[in-house]
Amino acid sequence: MIGIAGAGKVGAQVGLEVASMGIDDIAMVDIVPGLAEGEALDISHRLSDAGVDVAVTGSTDFSVLRGASLVIVAAGLARKPGMTRMDLLSKNSGIISSVTKEAAKHAPDCVMLMVTNPMDAMTYVALKATGFPKARVVGQGGVLDNSRFKYVLAKKLNVSRSSITSLVMGEHGENMIPVASHTYVGGVPLADLLTEEEIQQAIEDTRKVAAEVISKKGATIFAPGRSVARMANAIASDTKEVMGASAYLEGEYGLKGICIGVPVKLGAQGIEKIYELKLSDRERDWFNKGADTLREAVASLTV
Ligand code: NAI
């Protein structure tokens, strides 16, 4: 069974995406009376037409997560227009600490997939609050940021998004790193197709595009739903896919004691391997800047 804590805009969309994949039954929980049940019913009705037979249930009671092998956490406040993800730090850390403890009580063996922002810091909070081994707490950011990077590049180059191989790593926030030095278009290095100035512009556009969506429609929903579902499938179906995700570092990239986006192999055990990638000097500077921001953020918390 797959659990989802937080059935707001993103949690509900994740529920719809994951349920539609037909991997496993789903239990959703939210503190707002009726909300998770309502979303579960709506999703269930949608599944009938698609001929998918998983059960989707909702409740205000965390005990519905009992025995879940994967719990996706999207509970908490979302940023409003003009806010950065980090502006949510103090309020969401309290919520995430209690939500993940409660989830861990009912699903002590689960892999926890963190969505709530500021996501890297919340992944750290979940790790400390639950006491889970580091492999079983992972955060979603890089898959979504990479979708946005591909969108920006495909438009600039007038090519299919499917021909772009890329990765976004580092902090899921102001210092994210669309890794241009390892981006290829049908095998051709990005640097052969765009000038340095154009590449820097694409990186800037990728960093800003979520804020643009929030300023226009109030929230990002569909793209996060899909990205979280891709990670959920990798874990629940044990696919061993490699993608960017927030992981707790213990010496990799020369860093210790923070969660930050790096390429990882995902499977039933959670993070099964962290890959180290050679970054350009500029990318390495951004990575370290993101790490400093996250170190300061988690140091300010009492988890
Ligand atoms: P939302 O406000 O629509 O939903 C949040 C839900 O959490 C609400 O339904 C609320 O009742 C519930 N909640 C709050 N405290 C709870 C508790 N103690 N137990 C159970 N449920 C609780 O917000 P939205 O748009 O769904 O965003 C959720 C989070 O996901 C935000 O922090 C947002 O910034 C983040 N996010 C992360 C992304 C990523 O790529 N990592 C992408 C998009 C959003």
Side-chain angles (χ1 to χ4, degrees), residues 6-11 30-32 35 62 74-79 88 92 95 99 115-117 119 140 144 172 220 224:
K9 290 184 276 298
V10 172
D30 197 288
I31 43 167
V32 174
L35 181 63
F62 273 73
L77 304 181
R79 58 182 171 147
L88 301 165
N92 277 350
I95 295 173
V99 164
V115 182
T116 305
N117 276 317
M119 181 278 296
Q140 191 293 126
L144 173 60
H172 176 60
T220 60

Side-chain angles (χ1 to χ4, degrees), residues 33 37 51 60 71 84-85 93 125 128 162 182 189 212 229 234 240 245 250 266:
E37 295 102 300
T60 50
V71 174
T84 68
R85 296 173 178 92
S93 63
V125 170
K128 296 295 164 189
S162 64
H182 294 284
E212 186 188 346
K240 318 282 188 206
E250 279 182 324
L266 286 181

Side-chain angles (χ1 to χ4, degrees), residues 73-223:
V73 180
L77 304 181
R79 58 182 171 147
K80 302 207 164 56
M83 285 172 85
T84 68
R85 296 173 178 92
M86 207 46 102
D87 291 335
L88 301 165
L89 178 69
S90 65
K91 289 212 168 107
N92 277 350
S93 63
I95 295 173
I96 289 308
S97 177
S98 76
V99 164
T100 56
K101 272 183 193 150
E102 194 61 25
K105 209 160 75 187
H106 300 288
D109 300 319
C110 75
V111 173
M112 221 169 250
L113 172 50
M114 302 304 300
V115 182
T116 305
N117 276 317
M119 181 278 296
D120 300 289
M122 294 307 108
T123 304
Y124 177 91
V125 170
L127 190 68
K128 296 295 164 189
T130 58
F132 278 9
K134 61 178 184 165
R136 286 207 278 120
V137 185
V138 59
Q140 191 293 126
V143 177
L144 173 60
D145 296 331
N146 198 28
S147 289
R148 291 172 173 153
F149 188 38
K150 284 184 182 179
Y151 164 83
V152 168
L153 289 180
K155 238 176 119 181
K156 235 182 207 350
L157 293 163
N158 191 25
V159 298
S160 162
R161 292 164 213 193
S162 64
S163 50
I164 300 170
T165 309
S166 56
L167 167 78
V168 177
M169 55 185 282
E171 180 202 0
H172 176 60
E174 305 306 294
N175 300 299
M176 75 175 69
I177 311 158
V179 188
S181 65
H182 294 284
T183 297
Y184 298 91
V185 181
V188 181
L190 186 62
D192 290 356
L193 301 173
L194 293 178
T195 64
E196 184 54 27
E197 206 173 289
E198 288 170 324
I199 291 174
Q200 291 313 314
Q201 189 58 54
I203 290 172
E204 234 3 76
D205 292 350
T206 304
R207 286 176 170 158
K208 287 194 186 128
V209 79
E212 186 188 346
V213 178
I214 292 169
S215 77
K216 292 192 156 97
K217 67 172 268 192
T220 60
I221 303 168
F222 305 138

